[in-house]
Structure formats: C-alpha cells, structure tokens
Amino acid sequence: MIINKKIAVSETGFIFNPATGDSYSMNPIATEILEMLKKDMSEEEIKNFLLEKYDVNKSVLQKSYDEFIDTLIKLNIIE
Amino acid sequence: MKRKKITVAVTGLNNIDNPGPGIPVIRGILESKIFDARIIGLAYESLEPGIYMHELVNKSYHIPYPTAGSDILLKRLEYINDIEKIDVLIPNFDAELYTFMKASADLEKMGIKTFLPTLAQFEERQKTLLPMFGKKYKIIVPHSRPIFSEKEIYELSRDFTYPLLVKGKYYDAYISYSTEQTKMYYYKISGKWGLPIIIQEFVEGTEVNVVALGDGNGNTIGAVPMRKQYITDKGKAWSGITLDDSSLLSLTKKIIKKSKWKGGIELEMIKTKDNEYHLIEINPRLPAWVYLAVGAGQNLPEALVKLALGMKIEPYKKFLKGKLFLRYSYDLICDISEFEKLTHYAEL
Amino acid sequence: MKKLNFERPIIKKLNVGPSHKFGLKTEFEPLTHIDEISVKDMLSEYGSPLFIISEKSIRKTYAEAKRAFETRYPKVQFAWSYKTNYLNAVCNVFHKEGSWAEVVSRFEYDKAVDNGVDGNKIIFNGPEKTEDDLNLAVENGSLIHIDHFDELYTLIEIAQKHKKKPKVAIRVNMDTGIYPMWDRFGFNYENGEAWEAVNRIMMSNKLDLVGLHTHIGTFIMTASAYAIAASKLADLAVNLRRKYNHNLNYIDIGGGFASRNTLKGSYLLGIDTSPAFDDYAEAITTSLINSQLDPENMPMLILETGRALIDDAGSLAGTVIANKKLSDGRHATIVNFGVNLLFTAFWYEHKITPAQEFSQHSETTSLFGPLCMNIDQIRESIYLPALKKGDNVVVSRIGAYNMTQWMQFITLRPNVVMIDTKQNVHVIRQNETNKDITGLESVPEHLKLK
C-alpha cells in the first residue's frame, strides 16, 4: 500500500490533496494508522501495535481497519 | 480624546452574496470615535469569509449551532471569554437569538454584556404571531396564518387568494402562484427550518425597510429608512437608498415606543399605492445593510455597544438623505494552512 | 499498563460546514454514571438493553412542579397519570409524594387500587368505562370524569341502584388556540355542549357534580393556552354557581405539559424551548385568580401532568451491535434496542450519549434498532463519536410512555431497574421470559408437532 505522493498529511490529522483540492480530517487513531502506513509498516505490524496499545479485540480491530483502508482507497489517499 | 479599549464578539461573519450583518456591524464599531475595539469573530462554519478578514476581525472561534442547546454554547463561550475577556457580544442571526437571549443572564455573570430584546418582545413579533402584533399595536399587517401540515395547503383558498407568500419560521420567503408551488415551498422550507410554515397575503406595493435601535424604555436611538433599488436573484438588496419618509419614521417610533423595543430591529413594510404601510416582517436585530445607516450619519452598531455598556446616549435626530449603498463582492486570498488551523483548533 | 480506549479510525471530508468539534449536536461529555452508579456495571449485572429509572430525579422534578403551583395557588393536588408510566414502583413514588391516581381504563384502575390508593383519590378518565367499571367506581367513591352523553345517561341509570351519589366531573374540550385542537374527548365548550352536560347533571339530581376537567392536548409548548383553558373552565364554574348556587370542589386542568425532549422537526432543543413548570403555573393560576370565581370558595386545582414529571427520570442504556455503510454511502450504527422499547423515537430527536470516553472527532450516522422492520430507526441522523461493536450508549429522557407503549414484537422486554435515593439498585420489572408470553397461548391438539 502506497500513500499517494501528492498528499500532505499533518500531525494534527489534517489531510490535503492538492490534486483535487479536497481536505479531510482524521481522529487520532486514524492519524496514527496513516503515520504507520507512511513508515511502510505492514498490516500485521500495524494491527499488532494497536492490539498492544488499545483495549480492543481482534475481530473489531480487523473490521475497523479494513473499513478505514477501504475508505482511504476510495478517497485516493492510498493506492 | 483617547478611545476606550473594548473587546466585542460578533456573529454573522458570512459576508457572502446573501450576507449576514456581522461584517457591516464590525465596520460600524471600528469606525467609532469613542471605542478602540478588538473584534472577536464567532463563526458557525469554516468558510465564513469574515474569519479570514484579519484587518476587521482580530481572532475567530467556532461556536456550536443553536441546535446544540444553550448549555454547550455557554461552555464554549466560557472558554473563549477566558482568553479574550469579551465586553460586548452581538449576535446577528435570527436563528441564534433565542439561544443567546436565554443565555444572556449567564453571559452577564461572565462579564459579557448583550443588548437584546426580551423574550416577550422576541416572541410577540414572531412571524406566526404577526396578526396579533398588528392588533395589539394598531398597525396594518397582511393576513397570515401558520400551517402545520400539507393538508392545510389545500384549504388555503378559504381565506387567501393567489399569489401568496410562503415563509419559514426564521428565514426564506417565496411568492407562490399555485397550490403545487405552495406545496413545493412548504417542504423546501420546513426541511430546513422546521414547522410551522407561514402563509401570508401578498400585498402589492413598494417594499420599504427601516433599521432602528430601541433603548428598551420606548426611545428610538436611531432609525434610517431605506428602499431597495436593485435586488439580487436571491431577493436580497444589492443597492438601496436612504429615504426621507417621515410617516415611515413615525410608524417606527410608534412601534418602538409601544413595545419598548430593546436592541436592533429591522422593519419590513409594503407601502401601497394608497400610501398605506403594511408591516410584513420584524427582524429582531440589525440587518446586513446597517452600514448604510453608518454612512448616513447614524452609527447604530456603535450606539448598540454604548447601550450594552450602560453608557449615556443621545438619540440621533437626523440622517443624510440620498445616500446609497452598493454591495460588491471581493475575492479574498488565503492559504489552506489557515483553513487547517481553523478546522483543527476551531479558532483562527 | 492499562490499555487505551479504542475508537474506530475515521476520516471525514471537510467542507463549508461546521468544524467537526463544535458543530453539531454532539454532547461534550460521556454519560458513564446515573445517580453515581456506573452504567456499564448496571448493564453487566442486569443485562443490555436496560431501562433505568432514577427515584431521585422523580422526586426532584415533582418537588419543582409542586413548588411552582403551591406558591401561586392555595389548593393544589397532583394526580399521577398512570398511562405515562404505570410500573408500580414508579406510581408509588408519586403516591408517596402525595399524588392521587389518574387512570383511563379498568386495568389502570385496578392497578391503582392494588397499589393502595384510596378509591376517593382515583380519577377515572377515558371514553371507555363499562357498567361494571362504573359500578365499582361509584362504590369506591372515585371521581368519574364523564366523556360523552352515553356515559352520562348510563351513569344516571346506575346511580339509582346505589346509596351513594356518584361523584362526577365532565371533561370539556375547547379551542385554546393550539393546533391540533383535541375535540374527540369530552364535551365541547364553544358550541354549548359542555354547558348542556352540566345542566343535565344538575337537573337529574342523581349525580354529585364535583369538578370540571379538560385536557387540551399533548406536548403543549405555549403556556398561554392553559390560561385560556383555565378561564373557560372558570366561566363554566361561575355560571354553574349563578344558576344552581352550586360550588365545585375542583378544576382539573389535565396534563399535556411538554417535557424537555426535542420534538422532531423543531430547530432548537427542548431543554431550551419547553416552558418550565413556573410558566405553566403562572398561566393557569393567574387565569383562575383573575376569574369571577368566588374567592371564598376557590376550587382545588388538580393537575394530571405525566410526561413532564417522569421523562427526565428514565434512561435506556444499550449496546452497539454493528456498524454499516448504507448503499448511498451514509454511515449506520445498529444498537440492541429499537422502537419496540423506544416508542417515543417516532416523536423525538432523543438525546443519545456514549457511556464511555471518546475523542472529539465525530461522524454523522443513522441509528437503527435491531428489529427486522424498516421503520426501526432511533435517529435518522445523529452526530456521534466513532462507536464500535460492544460500546454502550444511553438514551436520556425516556421515562414517559415508553414503559407503557412498548411492544412485544419478535423479542422480550428487558429488566427495568430503579436507583433509589440511597443509590441502591432495584429490579422493578423482571425481564420477560418466553414462558411469560407463550404461556398464554394454546395449540389445538391436531396442530401439535410433538
């Protein structure tokens, strides 16, 4: 998964896509995941990290993660 | 003379093609010879241009919509006030006034002064109650009735003839020529502003408006009549001219005197060909064209701040006739980083 | 190290609209405790969903209402409207506070008697009272509020069989300027029907006319409508005295006071716009005091308000079952309580608050119940933090009508608990079992499968 090169992500969770002019806002966990994706961490690594840090079970995490990635793809933020 | 330093918070920064009164009110205050005002913008939406007009607005904050309730609004204002120490707050939207009036005692405790109509004044001039208002103050008003269901639209012909006006509780008004159109507007407006919808007789004539300020004891501090010269396709004034109309002024003074109106007010009237004035709407605040009054010699925003601060005030006796306002648009350039800052921190 | 609370990752497109933080109707604080008792603890002990009633809140609201009226009028009596919430524990809080009972059916009447309410402190309203019901009410000396002429004539007949004169009032309907006007109950004021009913009663000499009653509508947002109602009833009472030299014991102004809920379609919140008890009290009592009623014989003022007294005290706690994307891209959240338990979701934009900590990032979602029924929607559009499966939410202000209008559709009703004023939690209605429902059924022999 590669983050669209043109996309600017700030640590506040603000995303700006200069190609489309759209901007987005993310909650802290979404920002955290995107940061990890930027560092080329794998899905397994990211999920393990989150399981370690947060009070969440695997299936809820998997579903939330898939849904989030799906949205990022739809928004052309990752490809 | 050294000008008095004050901090004034203002809403209605939506200075767009259908502008809110915020920016014109701010211009009036900034032109004051007695106040040296720091302006705090209170915005509901991220793209209200006033937020980005840094030469007029020193700092802006997001505030919650009135629909979130006065508790949440107060919490937010408390936070803002801790930083800014607001002296006077001027709300400029019809839809938010109720909430601010309810909150005014709590604001006072925080040291924030307002100068708003009383709940009773605010209520009795509601569009739905206009017929009663007319009766009480002996003023001609068009026949009107609130409706609560689509069913009632089909029964309108009993006491109305087409065309008629379909109006929302707070905003929006359309001329309707048929039942079908009425139905369309009914859903369009109720979807946005809720029920009831007000059906009002269409009175033929020239629309004339007055901006005025009442001191709450029956005195009119200032009043300037205006006729729209040109309107936009949204029905808003594009240009208007002050009017030398003494009967309109005395009617205004009568309404303010009898109702002991407190605060800014805009009266919308139709002058018929028989020179009768029909009061079609009362807006309980200063309108977006208030800067015309400033330009014509009556700085009503400044006067409102004085009243709010409990300062002595002499009523304005005259204004310049034949003054025009021409609204124009202007493209403001700002960087996305400003937008980011606003959306993230809710202040800019 | 304690693990952090997990919130679903969300991303939201920014537009002209409000900032995500202070924009819409999202509540700032999670609702983790009710009367200092943990919502999550109650859910794990008593199951989810769970109705929670605060005795403290009932008593506090009642005290407020009582003060509003008693400081303005010499004789005030509340009568608890059973139909609003007739769980016995709830009724008894009101009875202990001094409320009479106001019932509208035999089922409710019997409930009041079983709760220990004296017969002469039960007001019997409603369009359906059988001869049997009427006989019992007359025997017990209850206050029978006559709804129509058929009932009036029946009662005159019945009266002959009893030693006691039945104590009656008539229900009057009238135009108070509010919409819609309720004219299906009682006798109309404007067309003279109410006055005719009064005359029939007085002329019959068989009934003891003790009061006049009206109930102008429901969720009335304008207190001034009650002023009109009170003055019209006072006029009737004055005419009655003039013609028959007969004084009434009471004027019953009914109920219909709005609670602090927000009605669908209204722009501002109910907590900001609904009149307070003081507003209603001011309108009603001023109207009575300024009427031509004889100051020496002012009638007692009876109030049957239900909703405004109990709504705040009830909460419904539940659990998120799932999150979904709808075909048009909207987000949807499914919770384990639906319109079967929350009938008032049809009328109100209920206040719904997560029961755990959350970040200030919110999303717009549609909140659906678990029923296999398309209309099972709790909120069409609500701004909530990103909830995940297993999270808990609390619906506030649901004390009125839900525990009487709930339906047993495809599932069973859950526990109802009451937190008493000393913070003890009591189950006041057990969750239903299959046997409670199917035990009433029987299958003909030839249809049995086993």
Side-chain angles (χ1 to χ4, degrees):
Chain A
M1 253 171 291
I2 317 155
I3 296 184
N4 186 332
K5 288 276 174 304
K6 290 178 182 151
I7 304 272
V9 186
S10 82
E11 61 204 33
T12 60
F14 183 83
I15 294 188
F16 177 56
N17 182 348
T20 60
D22 289 328
S23 42
Y24 308 90
S25 143
M26 294 182 295
N27 66 352
I29 291 186
T31 313
E32 215 173 348
I33 294 176
L34 206 69
E35 290 290 331
M36 289 190 271
L37 286 170
K38 256 164 87 181
K39 286 185 212 149
D40 286 331
M41 283 169 74
S42 71
E43 177 175 338
E44 272 321 295
E45 287 172 320
I46 295 174
K47 282 191 305 192
N48 284 336
F49 176 85
L50 294 172
L51 282 171
E52 200 59 37
K53 182 169 173 187
Y54 294 101
D55 179 20
V56 59
N57 68 42
K58 266 191 177 163
S59 64
V60 171
L61 176 66
Q62 186 65 50
K63 184 176 175 266
S64 313
Y65 183 85
D66 290 347
E67 216 175 72
F68 180 57
I69 297 296
D70 193 46
T71 314
L72 291 179
I73 292 170
K74 275 194 193 127
L75 297 175
N76 276 321
I77 291 169
I78 56 176
E79 46 200 22
Chain B
M1 197 176 82
K2 199 160 179 260
R3 294 188 299 163
K4 184 180 161 73
K5 276 198 193 275
I6 54 166
T7 303
V8 183
V10 179
T11 72
L13 305 181
N14 53 330
N15 209 43
I16 50 172
D17 59 343
N18 173 11
I23 293 300
V25 165
I26 291 169
R27 288 180 70 195
I29 295 169
L30 290 179
E31 285 175 24
S32 166
K33 293 203 171 56
I34 50 171
F35 296 125
D36 175 11
R38 175 176 157 79
I39 303 293
I40 303 303
L42 304 175
Y44 292 103
E45 300 189 341
S46 305
L47 288 182
E48 292 182 21
I51 302 171
Y52 305 90
M53 298 178 161
H54 303 308
E55 71 285 6
L56 294 176
V57 181
N58 297 79
K59 175 105 191 250
S60 290
Y61 293 85
H62 262 305
I63 56 169
Y65 278 125
T67 49
S70 52
D71 275 5
I72 289 178
L73 175 72
L74 277 168
K75 274 189 196 153
R76 179 68 178 151
L77 289 173
E78 214 164 315
Y79 165 83
I80 299 169
N81 192 46
D82 278 349
I83 303 167
E84 305 294 348
K85 304 277 173 284
I86 299 165
D87 295 301
V88 178
L89 191 154
I90 307 176
N92 285 305
F93 286 116
D94 293 358
E96 70 185 358
L97 279 178
Y98 183 89
T99 315
F100 274 101
M101 285 185 301
K102 277 264 180 181
S104 63
D106 291 301
L107 290 173
E108 180 94 39
K109 276 184 215 146
M110 289 186 225
I112 303 175
K113 303 270 194 300
T114 54
F115 201 73
L116 298 169
T118 64
L119 267 178
Q121 289 170 341
F122 181 79
E123 285 300 327
E124 72 174 3
R125 59 89 243 169
Q126 291 276 22
K127 289 181 206 179
T128 47
L129 303 175
L130 201 62
M132 270 150 84
F133 188 90
K135 221 167 147 186
K136 182 170 172 190
Y137 297 110
K138 299 201 171 54
I139 288 154
I140 310 171
V141 296
H143 176 52
S144 74
R145 180 151 64 91
I147 60 170
F148 293 84
S149 70
E150 185 192 316
K151 197 181 84 197
E152 291 179 81
I153 296 172
Y154 305 108
E155 296 157 4
L156 287 176
S157 54
R158 280 189 212 154
D159 50 344
F160 287 94
T161 54
Y162 278 97
L164 48 77
L165 287 165
V166 187
K167 293 182 156 188
K169 201 168 158 190
Y170 300 108
Y171 301 103
D172 289 349
Y174 299 97
I175 299 182
S176 165
Y177 294 91
S178 67
T179 307
E180 276 312 303
Q181 259 186 324
T182 310
K183 218 168 88 182
M184 185 178 87
Y185 294 137
Y186 175 87
Y187 284 107
K188 191 170 172 173
I189 303 172
S190 62
K192 210 162 154 193
W193 302 110
L195 290 173
I197 296 299
I198 295 104
I199 302 296
Q200 194 176 76
E201 173 197 356
F202 179 77
V203 183
E204 234 173 302
T206 313
E207 188 181 334
V208 285
N209 298 332
V210 188
V211 56
L213 181 63
D215 72 351
N217 298 316
N219 302 310
T220 300
I221 298 304
V224 177
M226 175 277 285
R227 180 173 66 80
K228 292 174 186 168
Q229 286 197 304
Y230 208 100
I231 54 169
T232 67
D233 52 8
K234 284 193 174 168
K236 299 291 155 182
W238 175 336
S239 133
I241 184 163
T242 57
L243 293 180
D244 182 10
D245 185 334
S246 52
S247 33
L248 190 50
L249 275 180
S250 51
L251 189 59
T252 302
K253 284 181 183 161
K254 175 176 146 186
I255 291 173
I256 290 181
K257 188 171 179 174
K258 286 194 175 170
S259 65
K260 292 202 163 67
W261 188 265
K262 187 177 167 208
I265 186 169
E266 181 195 21
L267 302 172
E268 295 182 13
M269 310 223 199
I270 300 286
K271 186 177 174 184
T272 65
K273 58 181 191 304
D274 310 320
N275 285 329
E276 262 183 358
Y277 293 91
H278 294 243
L279 179 66
I280 54 171
E281 205 166 305
I282 302 173
N283 295 316
R285 42 145 182 96
L286 296 172
W289 59 273
V290 64
Y291 193 70
L292 176 66
V294 180
Q298 297 197 1
N299 193 338
L300 299 182
E302 176 199 64
L304 191 142
V305 172
K306 278 170 121 178
L307 287 168
L309 291 172
M311 293 166 70
K312 264 219 176 113
I313 191 162
E314 276 302 309
Y316 283 109
K317 296 238 158 48
K318 49 183 191 208
F319 59 90
L320 301 170
K321 279 88 190 176
K323 281 282 170 191
L324 280 112
F325 77 88
L326 297 141
R327 221 164 246 170
Y328 73 111
S329 58
Y330 177 93
D331 296 351
L332 190 71
I333 309 301
C334 72
D335 192 73
I336 186 80
S337 60
E338 293 214 287
F339 181 72
E340 175 189 351
K341 217 176 137 202
L342 178 72
T343 51
H344 187 72
Y345 297 104
E347 47 194 84
L348 181 69
Chain C
M1 199 181 79
K2 196 173 170 270
K3 289 189 179 184
L4 300 171
N5 181 38
F6 178 80
E7 196 170 77
R8 240 175 350 101
I10 49 169
I11 176 164
K12 205 174 66 176
K13 188 171 169 183
L14 295 171
N15 49 28
V16 200
S19 143
H20 49 291
K21 288 184 178 168
F22 303 100
L24 296 167
K25 280 185 190 173
T26 179
E27 307 295 337
F28 275 159
E29 312 280 337
L31 207 162
T32 56
H33 290 73
I34 294 174
D35 285 357
E36 292 164 51
I37 308 284
S38 153
V39 171
K40 291 209 183 255
D41 288 354
M42 284 192 279
L43 285 172
S44 53
E45 184 160 357
Y46 302 103
S48 173
L50 177 69
F51 281 98
I52 303 162
I53 293 170
S54 157
E55 183 184 341
K56 191 172 129 196
S57 165
I58 300 179
R59 290 190 189 262
K60 187 175 145 261
T61 313
Y62 184 84
E64 246 171 67
K66 199 166 132 95
R67 179 203 45 78
F69 282 91
E70 286 187 348
T71 50
R72 293 177 167 89
Y73 194 80
K75 278 177 276 178
V76 178
Q77 178 62 50
F78 285 83
W80 175 241
S81 156
Y82 265 50
K83 64 181 173 297
T84 314
N85 189 323
Y86 45 56
L87 294 180
N88 291 336
V90 170
C91 296
N92 284 0
V93 176
F94 285 103
H95 297 320
K96 290 235 173 197
E97 286 283 346
S99 269
W100 293 0
E102 184 261 323
V103 304
V104 291
S105 67
R106 177 65 177 266
F107 167 73
E108 289 189 348
Y109 187 93
D110 289 344
K111 240 172 172 302
V113 171
D114 291 345
N115 278 335
V117 181
D118 290 344
N120 61 3
K121 290 178 179 165
I122 301 176
I123 295 170
F124 200 169
N125 280 323
E128 192 205 4
K129 307 178 196 86
T130 64
E131 285 194 26
D132 188 42
D133 300 344
L134 290 170
N135 277 318
L136 178 67
V138 174
E139 207 49 58
N140 288 341
S142 301
L143 305 161
I144 302 166
H145 287 190
I146 303 170
D147 188 75
H148 41 72
F149 279 115
D150 283 321
E151 185 170 82
L152 199 160
Y153 293 132
T154 310
L155 206 51
I156 291 176
E157 272 171 41
I158 284 176
Q160 338 236 10
K161 296 184 284 191
H162 290 268
K163 287 199 196 93
K164 294 184 205 162
K165 232 180 177 185
K167 293 195 183 314
V168 303
I170 57 161
R171 173 157 176 176
V172 182
N173 69 64
M174 57 181 71
D175 181 8
T176 55
I178 55 141
Y179 177 91
M181 174 179 152
W182 278 15
D183 60 1
R184 58 161 290 195
F185 304 107
F187 304 90
N188 185 254
Y189 175 86
E190 284 80 16
N191 70 10
E193 203 182 52
W195 181 237
E196 186 190 336
V198 165
N199 282 306
R200 298 261 174 206
I201 292 170
M202 295 308 292
M203 300 284 189
S204 79
N205 229 349
K206 299 279 190 305
L207 308 174
D208 184 9
L209 184 61
V210 291
L212 292 171
H213 169 221
T214 189
H215 191 116
I216 59 175
T218 188
F219 220 88
I220 307 295
M221 298 290 284
T222 38
S224 58
Y226 284 95
I228 301 173
S231 88
K232 286 184 176 175
L233 288 191
D235 276 354
L236 274 180
V238 168
N239 289 338
L240 180 68
R241 182 180 152 92
R242 197 172 294 146
K243 185 163 171 184
Y244 299 98
N245 196 25
H246 178 77
N247 281 320
L248 289 173
N249 295 354
Y250 65 85
I251 280 180
D252 179 348
I253 209 76
F257 296 174
S259 73
R260 303 193 304 154
N261 262 304
T262 305
L263 284 180
K264 281 191 173 173
S266 59
Y267 182 69
L268 297 169
L269 293 191
I271 44 169
D272 286 335
T273 52
S274 293
F277 286 118
D278 279 315
D279 301 324
Y280 292 118
E282 184 67 22
I284 293 167
T285 58
T286 307
S287 189
L288 290 180
I289 287 167
N290 291 344
S291 72
Q292 296 302 311
L293 286 168
D294 175 11
E296 300 298 313
N297 290 294
M298 289 299 271
M300 172 196 281
L301 170 62
I302 295 182
L303 297 146
E304 298 173 355
T305 176
R307 188 193 308 272
L309 286 177
I310 188 68
D311 233 1
D312 273 9
S315 307
L316 176 58
T319 307
V320 174
I321 298 173
N323 279 292
K324 255 187 170 177
K325 275 259 181 285
L326 301 178
S327 63
D328 59 2
R330 275 184 301 144
H331 190 263
T333 306
I334 306 170
V335 291
N336 68 347
F337 54 86
V339 292
N340 54 332
L341 301 182
L342 200 63
F343 194 81
T344 49
F346 291 126
W347 316 322
Y348 298 142
E349 303 276 14
H350 274 297
K351 178 180 160 180
I352 298 168
T353 320
Q356 55 279 313
E357 297 293 330
F358 49 84
S359 82
Q360 286 186 321
H361 289 254
S362 304
E363 61 185 350
T364 306
T365 187
S366 289
L367 208 60
F368 292 104
L371 305 182
C372 213
M373 189 165 81
N374 203 36
I375 58 162
D376 188 24
Q377 188 172 50
I378 303 294
R379 285 287 300 269
E380 193 186 338
S381 171
I382 179 169
Y383 215 56
L384 281 175
L387 296 169
K388 61 178 186 298
K389 181 178 178 235
D391 278 349
N392 298 121
V393 294
V394 179
V395 190
S396 302
R397 291 191 196 100
I398 55 94
Y401 291 104
N402 287 304
M403 281 154 263
T404 52
Q405 288 185 313
W406 50 11
M407 14 178 187
Q408 188 271 307
F409 173 68
I410 70 164
T411 185
L412 302 166
R413 283 166 280 219
N415 275 321
V416 181
V417 296
M418 179 183 275
I419 306 173
D420 70 21
T421 50
K422 297 193 178 76
Q423 274 137 34
N424 302 307
V425 182
H426 309 264
V427 174
I428 60 166
R429 190 179 191 274
Q430 286 279 348
N431 55 338
E432 290 167 349
T433 62
N434 264 20
K435 209 170 152 236
D436 294 328
I437 309 301
T438 42
L440 299 169
E441 297 180 30
S442 53
V443 177
E445 209 48 49
H446 70 285
L447 293 175
K448 283 186 177 157
L449 298 180
K450 58 178 182 186

